[in-house]
Structure formats: structure tokens, C-alpha cells
Amino acid sequence: MMAMAILPPKSLEDVVTLIHRLYLPGTPEELTKIQGILQDVQKSPDGWQLADSLLERHDQHVRFFGALTFTVKLNSDWESLSEEYIHVLRTRLIGWLVKLVTEDSSPLVIKKLCSTLVVFFIRFPESWPDCVRHLTCCLFAGRAVSVAEALDMPSSSQLLKTMKPGAKLGALWFATILVEEVGKVDTKNIKNHHFCFKIQSNEAEAVDLVNNAIEMPNGVGSIPESFDAQLVDAGLRTFEAWVFYSLRAYIDFRAEFPLLKSLTPIAVNWLANEDIFEATCDVVIGILSQSFSFFTPQDNHSLANILTSPWAVKRYESLISGDSDWSSIQFCRLLVTFAEATVQKLAKSLDTSSGRAMIEMLHGILTIPGYPQVEDETSGTTFEFWGSLVEFLLENDAEDGFDEPWVVNCQKEIKRAIEEFWRKIRVPPNHELITWSKDQKDGFMSFRKDVADFVESAYGILGPGLFQHLVDQVTHNFNWEEIEASLFCLNSLSDSLGDDPYEDIYMERLFGSSLFVMLADVEANIPLKARTTSVNLVGSYASFFERQPTYLPPALNFLFTCISTPALARNSSKSISSLCSSCRSTLTSELSAFLHQYEVFSASPNADDIAKERVLCAISYVIQALPSEQQQLGPISKLLRFVEVDAQRCLLLVQHQREEEAKETGLLVLRCLVSIGKGLQAPDDLPVDLSASGEGLQPPVSFWEAAEGGLLQRKVVELVRTLCHALRGDGEVIDASCCVFKTGFTEMTPGLFVFRPDVVTEFLLEYRARTETILATACTLISSHSIAGSADISAQVRQLLSFVATLVMDMGDTPQNEPEIAQSVAEFLSRLLRRYINVLVFYQPNDWLERMFVFVLESLVVRETLVKKAAAGFWTAFVSLTDEAPEVQVAVEEIINGCGPRLVKKLCWALGGGCQRSEVDTIVEPLKKLVVRQPLSKKWLQAALEQPGFPTSNISEKDKRLFIEKVISLRGKRGTNQVAKEFWLKARGTEFAYVS
């Protein structure tokens, strides 16, 4: 069946047909085209009449589109409306809302028209200041009354007593949408500050409206026998929206909305009604989460009484019995949110009946049957409370100390909570675990991580006693699930422990126990999770083994035993690497044993690739600790022979045309080389002699460039080249090869992987097809030779710059065609500015140099954010260059003078709506530097903006003049950013910027 053609409508019926087609199945392209056509119709001069005609229909989709059309017209044509038409339009919109409410139209349509009326208010606030009161009067009267008529009508509280429920709902929806949308207006723009005071003037009417919807005629706390649940729900939602707005307004303007607080006691008491409970819960939780201070002490007292009342006890008992319906979960969230909000008061009142009741319920939540995030969805909600309690105690440590009775009480509760969480994190038997979905497994593991974070923070309160308790649970236990849970908690404390002898006593008890002997027995029936957690624990406590090296041999023996088990190989290798990194000096005598262990492991057909990389890195850490380069030579040679075995296997696979396997093996070889290179790097805490070679001088030939060391280094380079050639310059192989070279870039002293700059450059230029990787590596090379004490590599920089120039010449002035390369070019040129600016500004031929600068200019106006950011960064740095050698500074100034007018025009285009709003701060930086550094910047700005209609027709000549004056007067100060954002908004035709 042929698809119907999508043509511009010629009649109202055609428009209706297109609207209906939006709700029928269709391709994204078709729907986009229909939307585009309809938007054109909405924005047309006949849009106002179209909106009326669509609202006259009874189809809800069509009516919704009619309300939307009014919104579109308001946003596009509001500036052209006369004062007289504004009043007519307000009456027209209110009339439609009253009609829709009277006809009991779809809530979706009514809310959309309410939204349209809010847009009207935002566009014309002075024409409708008392909007809530006026609309209430109109809905009561059943027609659009005039503002003068509304003044003579009874008070809103009187009108609401006899107003129909549907009319009340319409008024509540409008009042809700009003503050939600006005709350999105950009408060940083001073032009928008008046909105807050307009909303303030409507507070009393909104409070009357909400009060009528949620009132309890027989007194607060006495739920009426009959009530309109929909109306109460809407009233509560309106109350919440106004509270949220008031909190934001207080922060931004110190504006207060005191009348709202009178509604809180009524709102809170709706918790006791089953039909309204969930809505009330949402509102109370939302307000407590936003700002606990909104609730008065009396409100808190009432809420505490409600949460410990027989009604709450009944809900609590249902919750801890395992009832996981939404109401129970909501009650749990409410309880925890309130406890967290009142944590300071609760912490000091645990010996009161209400405080004890509250804390017991919080403990009870942690005893709910089932595994967290699988059968139990509530225990995870308590982390915020327990975390806040610990944080409060830590903050009060200096003030009250840990000996205060209330602090001691809190410590007991925290210990108890840890015990309850400990029971929750025990991993189920494998036969049960395999029945869980991926989301359930992820949720449970996330819960365990949260418990680990809590245990770590609690250590600051409970001290070594907590560590001792967990160690005792391990050493005096025979249940592997419980042992694993304790080990997991101990693992979380590895960063909290120092070198206190008291702590070491318990670590010695742990690592000297028979536990690890049992774990090392591969034949023992021990759950895999227990072995995994034990392996992780050993790696986490590397600092202990550094202090107590006598415990290293059994620990490493355990880890090397585990590495042969595929499921444990990666974790074991990670822990081996951690121990070898921390204890490298202690382990040099064990090098032969390590090399043998690796030889056995790597020979296994099931040897894990990542584990191989990590163990090679681990052994390299130990080799690095050997006192002389001559002593390092033999062990490194042996490591490289292991790697060469895999390289030979790669070449053999290539011969047999098993290309994919060959590539994977080749990549493994290169990653192994990277691992060895990283392991051989000097530790960060090793002192560096910056005076060893003078600035810019070539260092003397090192051990790794001459004799046996040089042979080994050349072997590494040859190995890399051989793989690249055999695998035909595959992109991923080139990427991995560059990583090999980069391992030496951070080194300040000679080493096996500290290759000569000419060797690296030659490789990069040979495999230039992988442009982005080559340029990224070149950037790193140049940066590493731009720091004090590094050798001058101007010759290599010139070669690489010629490569970049060729790229630019090939792409022309169109960076948009290759945005990733354009970004790399801008970043490369930026790297030259620190030390090799002379290479850049004196590059020949001159026309090639000019093309490179033009290319980075054009990069300012491409679509991709990262390209613009890189280009703006280059120009910001280049314009800021000062104090260079005289001849270099002259060349820099000549380039700035030549590029300045074009640079300013590009920046004005971007700031004039051409870029995204989030990019304005980045784009304005070069302009700020120009204004400070270049006397001609004002002239360039005037020339850039003199063209009529540039950058957009929304910018008037006055706007341009003001923009230039502000930018120049600010002299590059931070305020320039706000000026640029206002200019961008004006250019986009957006008077009111909504907060993202």
C-alpha cells in the first residue's frame, strides 16, 4: 500500500487530517515533515483564527493542537501585538478555558490551555497582574468577566464555596502551571526579577484556592466523611508547586511567602487517609527534601506524632512483614526522609518515647525479609538517614566529644545498623543467584557498595573497635557467606586505616590466620564469591604488607594460586599488581620466582589476557626497584621474550590468513608492552633532578640508547613496527602502538621506553593515515618536551607541523567536513604555543601558515562543540601571548592584526545565536583576551557588526552599540560572559531564558 502524500493544507479539514496523522503509525521522517508543515501553519498570519477553529471541534487531539497554536502564536508574534489586542486576546483565551471546563473537556486539553494562559502572563505580566483572582472569578461566573467586574465580586474564599468542582480544578491547574513555568524563567537576567513580585501578589488568592480544596471543615486532623479526592490531590500538588517556587524565590530575591505555611498542618494530616495518602506522601517528601526549614516546629511535632501513631504502626507492621506495594514503599520513604531531615533532633532524643519509636522503625526496615533490590525494595532507602547521622556526629566531634551520653547512644545505633546491613549483604547460594535478572544483580551489588560506603564513614565514629569486630567475625566463623560479608566490609576500610600499631595487630591476626591457607586450597568447597572478595582484600591492604613484609609471601602465594582459576584471574592479577607496586623494593629478591610463576601462567591455554597484562606490569614494578640499569636488563629481557612468544603466534596466524585472531593477538602484544612500560616508570614520589640537563640541551647518551640497553630498546621498536607491518597498518593496531611510545613521555629520566623523539616522529609520520591518533600522540610528545629541563625537539615539531599543514591544505577551509581532525589540528597548534611558538609563526611557505590560521578561524563556526572549544582555546592562548623573544612577538602581533577582524566577526556570529547557549562561555574567552590585549578590538567589533541583519535580524543597531560598549568597558572581566549571553538570547529572539 502506497503511503499518502504529505502536502501543505489548503483548508481547515486538511489541517485536521494532518493532526490526526500525527497520532497514527508512521516513519520518523513522515512525522517530522507533518510537524514542520503544521508549525508553518501555526506561525502564519491566520494562526489566531486557526486556533479558534480547532478549539471549536470536539476531538480532543484537535482541541489540544488548537491550544498549542495559541501558544506558538504568543511566542512568535507577542512583540507585534497592540495594547488593545492584548486585552482582547486575554478575554478570548479565558473564554475558551471557561468553555472547556464547562463542557468537562479532557484534562490534557484544559491543562494545555492553562499553560497557554501562563505564557500570556509571562509575555504580558502588566496586563494581567491579579491573574489567579481574575481567573477564579471568570470560572465562577462561567464566562470571561472584565477586570472591573471581578473587583466588584465577593472574595475568592466566598466564591469557592459554591464553585463547581470542575471549575476549581481548572483554577488549581492554572495556579500550579503558573509557578512551575515562571520558575523556569532565568533569574540571572535583571529584566525578569519583577516576576517574583507578581507571583507574590497572587499568593493570598492561591492560598484560598488550595485551602478550599484540601480543607478539613471539622478541624485539622479530622478527615471529612465525604470529599472530592481529585480536588484534594490537585490542591496538594498546587501547594507543593507554590512551596517549591517560594523556596527558590527566597534564595534568589529573599522574597517571602508567609501565607503558604498556614496550609502545612492541613496538608500533613491528609496522610491518614488511604485515598490521598500517596499524593500527600509525595508532597511532604518533596518539601522535606527541598527544604526542611519550611516546616515549623509545630509542623514537625505533628508529623512526628503522625509517624508514631497507631495508624503509622499499622503501616509499619505491614511494611516489615514483606508487603512491598507502592503505599508501603512510600511510607518507608516518608519515614526515612523525615528522620533524615530531623536527624539532629532525633540524635539527641533517642531516650524519649517518640525518638525510640522512630529509631526502632528505622532498624526494623533493615530486617525486612528478602535480598535487597530483589525481594526487599525498602532497606536501601535508609542509607541517607544513617549517612546523615554519621555526618552529624563527625561534625559535632569537636563540640561535644564522643563521651556525651547522646553520642554514645548514637554509636550503639550505628553499630546495630552495621550489623543489620551486614546480614543484608550476604550473597545467596549460586543456585539462587542464577535465577536473578541482570537488573536484580546490579541492584543488589549497588546496595553492597552503598553498605561499604556507610561502613567506611562509620569508622570515623566507631574507630578500631569496628575493625576488630569485623576481623573477629572472620576468624571465629565457619559460614562462608558470613565470612565473605565481613571480608567485604573490611575491604571498605582499607583507605580509612593508617599505620596505627593497634590496627596492625588485628591485620596481623587476619592475614596470619588459617583463612588464607584454606582459601588457597583449590580443592576446598568454598564459594567463588568468598575467594573473589578475599583476593580483592589482599590487594586493598598493600600498605599493610609494605609495613609488615613477613606476611607478603603467603599473600602472594595465595594470589598466584588463584590466578590459575579463570574466574579469579583478573581480580588476582589486580591485587598482585597492587602489592608489587607498593612493596617493589621488598620483593626484588623474589623476581626469579615471579618470572617462573608468569611463565607457568602464560603457558596455560586458558590464561586471561588482561591478567597477563597486569602481572607483567606487576613484575615490571619490581624490576624498576632494582638499583642499577645493568641489573634491570636481564629480567626485562626475559619479560620481552614472553611477549615475543605471543608476537610470533600473531605472525603465524597472519601467515595462515586468520586475520581476526592475528589482530587480537597483536593487540595483546602491544598492550603487554604498554603494561611493562608503565611498570618501569619511576614512582611519583621519586625525587627528580631537574638540573641534570640544561634547558634545551640534548642529554648525554644513556644506557638505554647504547650497548645492550640500546639493543633492547631497538628490539621493542622493531617489534612494534613488525606488528604494524604484518597487520597492514590496522587502525586499532596503530592506536595501541602509539600507547607503547606514550608510556615514556612522562618520564624525566632515561629508560627502556623513553624513545628518542626522532624515532617516535618517524613512526608517527609513517602511519599518518590514523590521523587523530597520530596528532594526539604528537600533542603528548610536544607537551612532554615543553617542560623545564626537557630536550628541545624543534626539528621534530617542524616535521609534525608540516604534516598538519598538508592536512589543512588537503581539507581546504572546510573543517566541518572532518570535525574530529579539525579538533585535533586546533589542539596540536595549541601545544606549540608554550615552547615552540617560533616554529609556528616562522613556518614556511607563508601561504601554508596563513591557511592553518584560517582553518582554525573557520573551526569556530562548525556545529560540533568540541571543535569550537579547541579552536576557541587556541585563539584565547594565542591572543594572550606576551613576553616572547622580540622577533617572535612581532610575528605574533602581525598575525593577530591580520586575523583580528575575521576572528572578531566569527566570534560575533557565534555569540549572535550561531552557537549553542552552553557554548557561549567558551566562545567569549578569545574576545575577552582581545579586548584586553588589542587596542583595535573596538574597531574590529564595530566593523563586524556594521552589516545590517548581522548576525541576525533580531539584533537592532542599538543592541549592537550597547553590546560593543559593554564588552569594551568590562575589559575582559567576568561580567562579559553575562553580556554575551544576553546578546545571544536577543539574537535568538528569546526574551525569557528558561533555566536548563
Side-chain angles (χ1 to χ4, degrees):
M1 178 175 164
M2 291 182 62
M4 294 175 59
I6 302 172
L7 302 172
K10 296 181 179 179
S11 65
L12 178 63
E13 292 305 320
D14 289 345
V15 174
V16 171
T17 299
L18 285 175
I19 293 170
H20 285 151
R21 286 190 66 179
L22 276 178
Y23 295 92
L24 297 174
T27 65
E29 292 75 19
E30 289 173 338
L31 295 176
T32 300
K33 186 172 182 180
I34 292 171
Q35 287 173 334
I37 292 172
L38 289 173
Q39 284 174 3
D40 290 341
V41 175
Q42 287 176 314
K43 292 179 180 178
S44 69
D46 297 328
W48 300 113
Q49 290 72 33
L50 173 66
D52 285 324
S53 300
L54 295 175
L55 283 168
E56 285 170 357
R57 301 293 180 110
H58 291 285
D59 183 291
Q60 300 307 313
H61 293 321
V62 176
R63 276 187 160 177
F64 180 89
F65 200 81
L68 176 63
T69 302
F70 269 126
T71 301
V72 171
K73 288 297 287 180
L74 271 168
N75 282 325
S76 62
D77 295 4
W78 68 278
E79 288 182 298
S80 63
L81 301 182
S82 67
E83 192 65 33
E84 180 182 357
Y85 190 76
I86 289 170
H87 293 293
V88 171
L89 179 60
R90 181 189 66 202
T91 302
R92 193 165 156 190
L93 292 172
I94 293 173
W96 275 118
L97 181 63
V98 172
K99 177 178 171 62
L100 292 173
V101 168
T102 304
E103 293 178 358
D104 197 23
S105 188
S106 160
L108 186 67
V109 176
I110 295 174
K111 288 179 181 179
K112 186 61 190 175
L113 200 53
C114 285
S115 175
T116 303
L117 276 163
V118 169
V119 174
F120 177 89
F121 171 81
I122 291 174
R123 294 303 185 191
F124 311 110
E126 300 302 330
S127 299
W128 204 24
D130 301 319
C131 55
V132 177
R133 160 69 180 172
H134 185 220
L135 188 63
T136 302
C137 292
C138 294
L139 288 166
F140 174 82
R143 62 184 176 84
V145 302
S146 68
V147 173
E149 284 182 86
L151 290 173
D152 295 331
M153 293 177 73
S155 66
S156 296
S157 58
Q158 290 296 317
L159 298 178
L160 288 164
K161 289 179 180 178
T162 55
M163 189 184 287
K164 294 179 181 179
K168 291 181 185 179
L169 274 177
L172 287 166
W173 289 338
F174 171 78
T176 302
I177 297 169
L178 174 68
V179 287
E180 287 176 345
E181 293 304 308
V182 172
K184 296 175 184 176
V185 171
D186 184 4
T187 55
K188 292 179 182 178
N189 189 335
I190 196 169
K191 295 180 181 178
N192 299 332
H193 289 188
H194 64 96
F195 282 110
C196 175
F197 309 111
K198 292 287 192 300
I199 297 297
Q200 261 186 315
S201 67
N202 281 273
E203 181 194 13
E205 292 296 327
V207 168
D208 281 345
L209 194 58
V210 173
N211 186 64
N212 179 269
I214 68 172
E215 67 180 339
M216 296 178 176
N218 299 324
V220 174
S222 179
I223 305 293
E225 291 185 8
S226 62
F227 58 88
D228 188 328
Q230 187 180 13
L231 203 57
V232 176
D233 184 291
L236 290 168
R237 303 295 180 185
T238 305
F239 171 58
E240 179 184 37
W242 276 74
V243 171
F244 285 175
Y245 181 84
S246 73
L247 296 173
R248 173 83 181 271
Y250 183 77
I251 293 170
D252 290 340
F253 308 108
R254 287 293 183 265
E256 296 185 352
F257 290 72
L259 300 179
L260 285 173
K261 289 182 182 288
S262 65
L263 299 171
T264 309
I266 311 173
V268 165
N269 275 279
W270 278 103
L271 284 167
N273 181 268
E274 291 294 327
D275 295 329
I276 307 298
F277 170 73
E278 289 186 21
T280 313
C281 235
D282 281 341
V283 171
V284 175
I285 290 170
I287 295 172
L288 281 172
S289 301
Q290 284 284 324
S291 175
F292 170 64
S293 62
F294 180 81
F295 281 24
T296 66
Q298 185 57 44
D299 294 333
N300 292 330
H301 182 71
S302 299
L303 192 49
N305 287 339
I306 290 172
L307 289 173
T308 54
S309 66
W311 163 84
V313 171
K314 183 179 177 182
R315 277 203 170 274
Y316 167 72
E317 289 172 348
S318 173
L319 172 68
I320 63 171
S321 68
D323 183 357
S324 59
D325 67 10
W326 182 241
S327 292
S328 295
I329 294 172
Q330 281 291 79
F331 174 76
C332 178
R333 288 183 61 228
L334 175 64
L335 179 67
V336 173
T337 304
F338 180 71
E340 182 193 357
T342 58
V343 66
Q344 298 184 19
K345 182 179 179 181
L346 180 58
K348 296 183 178 183
S349 60
L350 293 178
D351 52 357
T352 66
S353 57
S354 61
R356 177 48 49 189
M358 186 78 68
I359 201 73
E360 287 299 329
M361 284 196 282
L362 290 164
H363 281 300
I365 293 171
L366 297 180
T367 66
I368 292 173
Y371 289 100
Q373 310 304 316
V374 182
E375 300 100 347
D376 164 27
E377 297 183 29
T378 51
S379 56
T381 63
T382 65
F383 284 118
E384 292 297 329
F385 165 73
W386 292 110
S388 296
L389 178 59
V390 168
E391 187 177 337
F392 174 59
L393 292 177
L394 289 170
E395 288 173 354
N396 279 267
D397 175 22
E399 185 178 329
D400 292 345
F402 285 161
D403 296 329
E404 289 289 319
W406 70 269
V407 176
V408 173
N409 287 339
C410 289
Q411 287 175 327
K412 291 177 182 177
E413 303 306 330
I414 292 169
K415 285 179 185 176
R416 185 177 162 193
I418 289 175
E419 195 74 18
E420 289 157 348
F421 278 123
W422 173 77
R423 292 191 180 92
K424 281 288 186 183
I425 63 172
R426 286 181 287 185
V427 179
N430 194 54
H431 68 269
E432 185 172 351
L433 189 61
I434 60 176
T435 65
W436 290 1
S437 67
K438 182 181 183 301
D439 287 344
Q440 288 174 325
K441 289 178 183 176
D442 290 345
F444 179 68
M445 293 306 170
S446 177
F447 179 89
R448 280 169 57 96
K449 289 178 182 176
D450 289 336
V451 170
D453 291 339
F454 172 59
V455 170
E456 181 180 15
S457 63
Y459 187 79
I461 301 296
L462 303 179
L466 173 59
F467 189 79
Q468 176 187 351
H469 176 67
L470 291 169
V471 170
D472 288 342
Q473 282 183 323
V474 172
T475 57
H476 299 140
N477 205 323
F478 299 98
N479 182 306
W480 282 110
E481 282 73 25
E482 294 183 359
I483 290 173
E484 190 281 331
S486 299
L487 291 171
F488 180 80
C489 291
L490 284 167
N491 205 3
S492 69
L493 297 177
S494 60
D495 291 332
S496 301
L497 272 61
D499 53 2
D500 191 317
Y502 183 79
E503 294 168 344
D504 273 10
I505 290 171
Y506 291 102
M507 282 191 271
E508 288 171 16
R509 183 181 298 177
L510 173 65
F511 292 113
S513 70
S514 60
L515 173 70
F516 291 96
V517 177
M518 290 188 286
L519 288 166
D521 183 359
V522 294
E523 302 297 327
N525 184 22
I526 299 174
L528 179 63
K529 188 63 180 176
R531 293 184 189 273
T532 304
T533 304
S534 303
V535 163
N536 295 339
L537 181 76
V538 173
S540 297
Y541 282 92
S543 59
F544 164 74
F545 293 103
E546 190 175 2
R547 294 192 303 274
Q548 305 290 343
T550 55
Y551 292 90
L552 262 175
L556 284 167
N557 181 58
F558 163 63
L559 294 175
F560 273 109
T561 300
C562 291
I563 205 170
S564 60
T565 303
L568 296 173
R570 294 191 179 184
N571 296 72
S572 301
S573 60
K574 185 177 180 182
S575 291
I576 290 170
S577 182
S578 176
L579 289 185
C580 288
S581 176
S582 296
C583 310
R584 61 181 74 191
S585 299
T586 307
L587 293 171
T588 51
S589 60
E590 302 294 328
L591 258 177
S592 297
F594 288 160
L595 290 167
H596 175 70
Q597 292 270 21
Y598 180 78
E599 185 173 15
V600 173
F601 167 64
S602 62
S604 168
N606 298 321
D608 182 85
D609 288 350
I610 292 177
K612 290 170 77 170
E613 297 167 37
R614 287 174 176 167
V615 176
L616 283 171
C617 185
I619 298 173
S620 299
Y621 286 139
V622 181
I623 294 173
Q624 187 278 327
L626 290 170
S628 72
E629 294 163 325
Q630 187 65 50
Q631 287 174 287
Q632 293 175 0
L633 187 65
I636 293 177
S637 299
K638 194 159 187 178
L639 282 189
L640 289 179
R641 284 199 290 274
F642 293 143
V643 176
E644 285 176 318
V645 170
D646 284 327
Q648 290 302 320
R649 186 159 60 90
C650 169
L651 297 176
L652 194 62
L653 289 167
V654 170
Q655 289 178 12
H656 289 84
Q657 298 183 340
R658 293 159 64 178
E659 295 180 2
E660 198 57 39
E661 288 181 71
K663 176 181 170 180
E664 290 304 314
T665 306
L667 288 172
L668 169 63
V669 170
L670 293 168
R671 291 197 304 269
C672 286
L673 288 175
V674 170
S675 296
I676 294 171
K678 287 181 177 178
L680 292 175
Q681 290 173 349
D684 294 336
D685 57 357
L686 199 68
V688 177
D689 183 8
L690 295 178
S691 65
S693 71
E695 177 82 26
L697 298 178
Q698 295 301 325
V701 176
S702 73
F703 174 84
W704 298 107
E705 294 174 309
E708 293 171 284
L711 287 173
L712 206 58
Q713 188 177 78
R714 288 191 289 277
K715 180 185 284 189
V716 174
V717 174
E718 189 57 36
L719 184 56
V720 172
R721 286 184 174 278
T722 299
L723 290 175
C724 289
H725 177 74
L727 296 168
R728 301 173 185 174
D730 177 89
E732 290 181 66
V733 174
I734 301 304
D735 292 350
S737 300
C738 287
C739 289
V740 174
F741 288 108
K742 285 197 286 188
T743 57
F745 287 174
T746 59
E747 295 292 85
M748 296 296 293
T749 55
L752 175 64
F753 285 80
V754 182
F755 303 100
R756 295 201 322 269
D758 60 307
V759 172
V760 179
T761 303
E762 183 183 346
F763 175 85
L764 295 179
L765 295 177
E766 182 178 349
Y767 292 99
R768 60 178 65 193
R770 193 70 169 177
T771 307
E772 293 153 56
T773 300
I774 297 304
L775 287 179
T777 307
C779 285
T780 311
L781 173 67
I782 292 169
S783 294
S784 69
H785 285 81
S786 296
I787 58 179
S790 60
D792 185 289
I793 58 166
S794 294
Q796 287 74 42
V797 170
R798 236 174 249 107
Q799 289 177 276
L800 293 167
L801 184 58
S802 293
F803 166 57
V804 170
T806 303
L807 278 177
V808 170
M809 296 300 287
D810 290 344
M811 287 190 287
D813 297 336
T814 53
Q816 185 63 69
N817 293 342
E818 297 283 357
E820 291 84 5
I821 295 178
Q823 178 187 341
S824 298
V825 168
E827 289 172 349
F828 175 85
L829 295 178
S830 295
R831 291 296 199 284
L832 305 186
L833 303 185
R834 182 172 177 182
R835 184 175 183 183
Y836 302 101
I837 180 64
N838 60 316
V839 177
L840 175 62
V841 298
F842 295 131
Y843 182 76
Q844 293 295 325
N846 196 60
D847 58 327
W848 284 41
L849 176 64
E850 183 179 337
R851 288 286 290 277
M852 281 192 280
F853 276 93
V854 170
F855 184 84
V856 189
L857 278 172
E858 294 298 330
S859 295
L860 288 166
V861 294
V862 301
R863 288 189 297 271
E864 287 73 14
T865 297
L866 292 177
V867 183
K868 280 183 274 197
K869 186 175 181 180
F874 168 79
W875 284 110
T876 301
F878 190 80
V879 170
S880 303
L881 288 171
T882 55
D883 302 325
E884 300 294 334
E887 67 278 7
V888 173
Q889 194 65 49
V890 169
V892 168
E893 298 300 331
E894 287 178 357
I895 292 171
I896 293 175
N897 288 331
C899 295
R902 194 165 177 177
L903 171 60
V904 170
K905 188 155 189 174
K906 297 291 182 187
L907 296 174
C908 287
W909 179 87
L911 297 175
C915 70
Q916 298 300 314
R917 186 182 179 184
S918 59
E919 299 167 347
V920 171
D921 283 336
T922 297
I923 297 296
V924 79
E925 285 304 311
L927 183 59
K928 288 161 67 175
K929 296 298 181 184
L930 271 173
V931 168
V932 174
R933 292 270 293 106
Q934 289 297 321
L936 293 173
S937 55
K938 183 175 181 178
K939 179 182 176 182
W940 292 340
L941 276 167
Q942 291 169 335
L945 294 172
E946 69 179 356
Q947 179 184 339
F950 179 86
T952 72
S953 57
N954 293 322
I955 300 289
S956 66
E957 294 305 311
K958 180 182 177 182
D959 294 328
K960 295 178 185 179
R961 187 174 67 256
L962 285 173
F963 173 69
I964 295 171
E965 288 174 0
K966 289 179 180 178
V967 169
I968 296 298
S969 64
L970 283 166
R971 297 289 296 164
K973 293 178 182 176
R974 180 67 186 169
T976 310
N977 295 57
Q978 186 59 35
V979 171
K981 287 173 184 174
E982 291 173 5
F983 187 71
W984 183 92
L985 288 168
K986 192 74 177 177
R988 284 287 182 102
T990 309
E991 180 70 16
F992 302 97
Y994 283 76
V995 179
S996 59

